[in-house]
Amino acid sequence: MAEPTQRQVRAGTTGAPAERWAADRPTGGRGSRTNGEDSDVQLGLVGLGKMGFNMRERLRRAGHEVIGYDRNPEVTDAASLQDLVDKLAAPRTVWVMVPAGEPTRQTIAELADLLAPGDLVIDGGNSRYTDDKINSELLGGRRIGYLDCGVSGGVWGLENGYGLMVGGDAELVERAMPIFDALRPEGPREEGFAHAGPAGAGHFAKMVHNGIEYGLMQAYAEGFELLDAADLVTDVPAVIRAWQRGTVVRSWLLDLLVRALESDPELDDLRGYVEDSGEGRWTVEEAVNHAVPAPVISAALFARFASRQEDSPAMRAVAALRNQFGGHGVHQAGPSSGAGSTQAG
């Protein structure tokens, strides 16, 4: 038998971890399920917000039993995390879909106390990949499996499916494959699902995915503004709509921009104020850490920062410098600007 490659060892695809998890798995008896009964699985889902609610519905449409827990009593199937665990048959699989950071860390810590050896936790939120090593070690110390799963698809995932990027042991990935197959889009598995590598790889891949998303959105946005600024182009929405077929810039994001322009052709109903959820920052930080030039993603992130400034201190400094060294004219701040004195310099 050939020796596994270094990449296979790193990715957890050699099959070696299987015995570690299988040894703790119940094989029958009261409150247990065996994989040979049928292809349907049972899943506990923590977090029934915009994404989690639709994921529960998509899984149920595929024939799987999903027991959800959420603090909102109108959508939850269980009264508490303890109740959720009690409703699940061993070996349990629990998917966590709550906000990244402390809410996810706290939820996983609670599950570590409630679950049993042989159970499995999947973090499907937008956690930073560095959290996955901590979570994996915490749960692994109790013989509980852990996978991290980057999920893309947003509110459209219910009908279109979700792109999935998973990190963790190959044996655990295979165990959860019926869940992943139900959530991913129809078509070849490799076009909507990837086992990216060991724990953390799924969230790292999703982080880069979201960084790319920042760059793509910024490019479309700048193109929209340039078209809108040119008097020569009289129907901007029509131009962008025409890019949907046959062009090299067609994409689902472009389709969504067309959809937005159909209801608001000038986008006048919105303010140009854009938040960032974290992944763009993390992508730029990792680009620095790995000495990878990422000017497009970096510029897209900084453009979002600029969108939140009504009046830029940096640009006031530039205006002052041009006035000082060259006597260039400046626009004085008015009483309503909140930027300082109205006196000429």
Side-chain angles (χ1 to χ4, degrees):
M1 180 177 178
E3 289 294 321
T5 66
Q6 184 179 9
R7 181 174 293 274
Q8 285 176 320
V9 172
R10 288 174 53 209
T13 56
T14 64
E19 295 179 1
R20 178 172 40 140
W21 305 110
D24 287 323
R25 215 180 282 165
T27 56
R30 185 175 181 272
S32 68
R33 294 169 64 91
T34 59
N35 292 336
E37 290 174 356
D38 52 46
S39 60
D40 296 338
V41 298
Q42 185 189 54
L43 177 71
L45 181 58
V46 181
L48 300 172
K50 290 183 292 185
M51 291 277 285
F53 186 89
N54 283 347
M55 290 170 69
R56 178 177 64 174
E57 177 61 22
R58 185 172 176 88
L59 286 163
R60 285 177 172 174
R61 290 181 184 180
H64 300 305
E65 179 186 0
V66 184
I67 302 172
Y69 168 66
D70 194 276
R71 292 180 180 178
N72 181 357
E74 296 182 359
V75 299
T76 193
D77 304 313
S80 63
L81 274 181
Q82 178 68 70
D83 186 40
L84 173 71
V85 171
D86 290 343
K87 291 176 183 293
L88 296 173
R92 305 168 187 86
T93 298
V94 179
W95 186 300
V96 178
M97 204 70 187
V98 300
E102 189 56 32
T104 294
R105 289 191 288 268
Q106 182 179 345
T107 299
I108 290 176
E110 290 182 37
L111 287 171
D113 292 332
L114 297 174
L115 295 173
D119 291 343
L120 172 63
V121 173
I122 304 172
D123 176 10
N126 279 330
S127 296
R128 191 163 190 172
Y129 81 96
T130 49
D131 285 351
D132 294 315
K133 184 176 186 294
I134 299 171
N135 294 334
S136 180
E137 290 178 351
L138 170 66
L139 295 168
R142 306 187 186 202
R143 312 291 286 180
I144 299 168
Y146 178 79
L147 296 174
D148 58 283
C149 183
V151 181
S152 179
V155 296
W156 299 89
L158 173 60
E159 301 299 335
N160 297 339
Y162 302 89
L164 306 174
M165 297 140 272
V166 180
D169 287 339
E171 187 267 345
L172 296 176
V173 174
E174 186 61 30
R175 170 178 161 184
M177 194 59 73
I179 299 168
F180 298 140
D181 279 341
L183 289 173
R184 67 174 176 82
E186 296 294 327
R189 180 184 288 167
E190 62 271 17
E191 293 182 6
F193 170 88
H195 179 197
H203 281 144
F204 192 96
K206 179 56 162 47
M207 174 193 72
V208 175
H209 164 283
N210 281 25
I212 293 170
E213 181 183 298
Y214 276 48
L216 289 172
M217 286 193 289
Q218 186 65 27
Y220 285 133
E222 292 173 9
F224 166 76
E225 182 171 1
L226 181 55
L227 288 169
D228 191 56
D231 293 336
L232 185 63
V233 178
T234 59
D235 193 340
V236 174
V239 171
I240 295 178
R241 187 164 54 247
W243 291 347
Q244 288 181 282
R245 294 183 183 274
T247 73
V248 297
V249 298
R250 64 189 185 274
S251 74
W252 185 58
L253 282 175
L254 181 69
D255 293 343
L256 294 179
L257 178 57
V258 169
R259 186 173 184 267
L261 291 172
E262 286 175 350
S263 60
D264 184 8
E266 301 291 333
L267 299 182
D268 290 333
D269 295 340
L270 303 174
R271 283 187 59 206
Y273 185 103
V274 185
E275 296 282 5
D276 68 284
S277 57
E279 291 89 345
R281 298 183 189 218
W282 301 341
T283 304
V284 172
E285 289 175 12
E286 290 301 321
V288 172
N289 292 340
H290 291 81
V292 173
V296 172
I297 297 174
S298 300
L301 174 65
F302 296 151
R304 295 192 180 198
F305 296 163
S307 78
R308 303 169 205 166
Q309 294 180 310
E310 292 186 5
D311 188 28
S312 168
M315 290 300 100
R316 293 204 300 271
V318 170
L321 287 168
R322 293 183 75 247
N323 178 258
Q324 291 292 325
F325 71 68
H328 299 290
V330 296
H331 292 265
Q332 296 296 329
S336 63
S337 72
S341 172
T342 61
Q343 300 299 314

